[in-house]
Amino acid sequence: MADRIELTGLECFGYHGVFAEEKRTGQPFIVDIICWSEFAEAAAHDDLTKTINYAELANIAADIVEGPSRDLIETVASEVADTIMASFADLHAVEVTVHKPKAPIPRTFGDVAVIARRSRKHAQTSVPRPASRPASQAGTGQTAAQGIDAPPAGTNPGTQ
């Protein structure tokens, strides 16, 4: 069974959307990240280098959300998930939710969000497991190799 690290409610400002107004004026986006990994060794030794650094997670997500404009938040969420998987070799799986609370919908609604899931279990065998990047390189916007599948909904990706 895998342990879990969560970063929720990361507030970013970006220029994503299909409408010119969204790209011109921008809007807030909220990001939630759930990582599955083993952190028993990190806990036993009280050692940050043996776990997933959530400050690096936040920087990766913010760099992408606040970076170049995309039409779809599906693209944004996928890029965040792929970059996180590429950045942390010991990560079993990640789930990234990008919320677009001010989406241009002419109806009353609570939230719009997309979720991108990636896991090593479902990765193609040709995709290498990259080493963790130092904090100084985190969030550079580099994406992982494509082809990493998401685990089935409602499952714990670390136990499949």
Side-chain angles (χ1 to χ4, degrees):
M1 181 184 307
D3 300 312
R4 190 169 77 200
I5 295 172
E6 296 186 18
L7 171 65
T8 61
L10 178 66
E11 297 181 18
C12 302
F13 195 86
Y15 296 85
H16 311 291
V18 296
F19 299 114
E21 182 71 10
E22 293 178 288
K23 292 183 183 301
R24 187 177 63 76
T25 62
Q27 61 191 295
F29 293 87
I30 309 297
V31 181
D32 302 326
I33 302 168
I34 303 172
C35 295
W36 285 269
S37 184
E38 305 294 335
F39 60 70
E41 184 179 356
H45 296 98
D46 199 25
D47 186 350
L48 177 61
T49 66
K50 297 185 183 313
T51 189
I52 306 302
N53 183 331
Y54 49 80
E56 289 183 31
L57 292 174
N59 286 335
I60 289 168
D63 285 351
I64 293 168
V65 175
E66 296 170 349
S69 177
R70 305 286 190 223
D71 285 346
L72 304 177
I73 58 173
E74 289 87 337
T75 305
V76 176
S78 294
E79 187 175 346
V80 172
D82 291 340
T83 302
I84 289 170
M85 288 298 291
S87 298
F88 300 98
D90 294 332
L91 189 62
H92 298 308
V94 67
E95 178 178 289
V96 174
T97 304
V98 175
H99 302 265
K100 189 175 179 179
K102 304 286 186 189
I105 299 173
R107 308 292 282 180
T108 301
F109 68 96
D111 191 22
V112 171
V114 300
I115 300 170
R117 294 180 177 169
R118 303 292 185 268
S119 74
R120 302 252 185 249
K121 177 83 173 172
H122 293 89
Q124 294 177 358
T125 56
S126 63
V127 177
R129 290 181 58 173
S132 296
R133 288 189 288 169
S136 63
Q137 294 178 357
T140 59
Q142 298 172 347
T143 59
Q146 297 299 313
I148 300 175
D149 296 328
T155 62
N156 180 343
T159 61
Q160 294 180 358

